[in-house]
Amino acid sequence: MSVAIYPGSFDPIHRGHLDIIVRAARLFEVLVVGVAHNPTKQPLFGPEERAEMVREAVEGITGVRVETFEGLTVAFARRHGARVIIKGLRATMDFDAEMKMAMMNRRLAPEIETLFLPTSPEYADLSSSLIKEVARLGGDVSALVPPAVVERLVAKVGRSVWTASWNS
Ligand code: PNS
């Protein structure tokens, strides 16, 4: 059985992530989306909440599972019998950091390959951090994230701020 993992922070998942998941799921029998705890970052959403949003977003996509993980991505891959780590690439800004991670992961686990999928052009500008910033400042990001995320973002940043600024 061909298994791949797609690790990330997903704080929160957006349409660019979802596009990568849909396309990667066509290439592998099983795709395990790994929601990283990542103690060095200070996420807006806790790991279980991030995973829950991803689960709701991928409902109905065949072969996709969602789990949280702590520790090394390659250890997560090995636990799932995955030989491939999927990463999405938006632009050159991602390339350096992703190459470094791919090379380190290769050192740690030479049997595991990193596979880069270029983002679809319509999502090339999306990032979770920008989406959070815009939502905090009252901009409407509902077209950029799955419905499950819209509700939770509203709960975090406040609906009145959001709708008031957008409509005025
Ligand atoms: O969505 P992100 O924040 O770009 O995802 C980064 C992530 C979670 C994939 C990366 O930080 C990671 O792999 N973390 C797990 C710890 C690890 O394996 N570190 C060494 C990677 S070379």
Side-chain angles (χ1 to χ4, degrees):
M1 187 154 63
S2 64
V3 184
I5 63 158
Y6 176 40
S9 301
F10 304 105
D11 185 44
I13 184 171
H14 56 66
R15 297 218 172 266
H17 293 131
L18 202 51
D19 170 63
I20 296 291
I21 292 171
V22 167
R23 289 161 55 206
R26 291 191 201 123
L27 302 175
F28 297 90
E29 286 166 274
V30 174
L31 179 72
V32 187
V33 180
V35 178
H37 274 250
N38 223 336
T40 58
K41 291 191 176 178
Q42 289 199 318
L44 179 65
F45 298 97
E48 280 310 327
E49 198 173 7
R50 284 182 272 139
E52 204 42 52
M53 288 186 278
V54 179
R55 276 190 200 104
E56 288 178 36
V58 304
E59 222 176 83
I61 307 175
T62 307
V64 178
R65 298 207 310 259
V66 182
E67 290 194 20
T68 60
F69 75 99
E70 282 180 77
L72 290 174
T73 289
V74 290
F76 179 70
R78 280 178 174 157
R79 280 203 296 282
H80 289 280
R83 299 288 299 271
V84 173
I85 298 171
I86 297 286
K87 288 296 192 82
L89 277 188
R90 285 166 298 192
T92 48
M93 63 179 181
D94 287 337
F95 190 78
D96 286 355
E98 290 298 344
M99 273 301 282
K100 277 185 197 159
M101 280 195 266
M103 287 189 280
M104 181 55 79
N105 284 333
R106 192 181 168 88
R107 272 181 211 284
L108 295 168
E111 81 281 10
I112 297 174
E113 295 287 356
T114 295
L115 187 65
F116 292 125
L117 289 185
T119 189
S120 297
E122 61 268 40
Y123 304 120
D125 60 320
L126 295 193
S127 73
S128 297
S129 47
L130 212 50
I131 285 169
K132 283 181 286 189
E133 182 182 325
V134 171
R136 277 193 190 106
L137 297 173
D140 184 357
V141 294
S142 56
L144 312 178
V145 294
V149 174
V150 177
E151 289 160 25
R152 284 179 170 92
L153 260 180
V154 166
K156 289 268 182 198
V157 304
R159 181 187 290 278
S160 56
V161 176
W162 189 333
T163 50
S165 317
W166 188 247
N167 293 330
S168 59

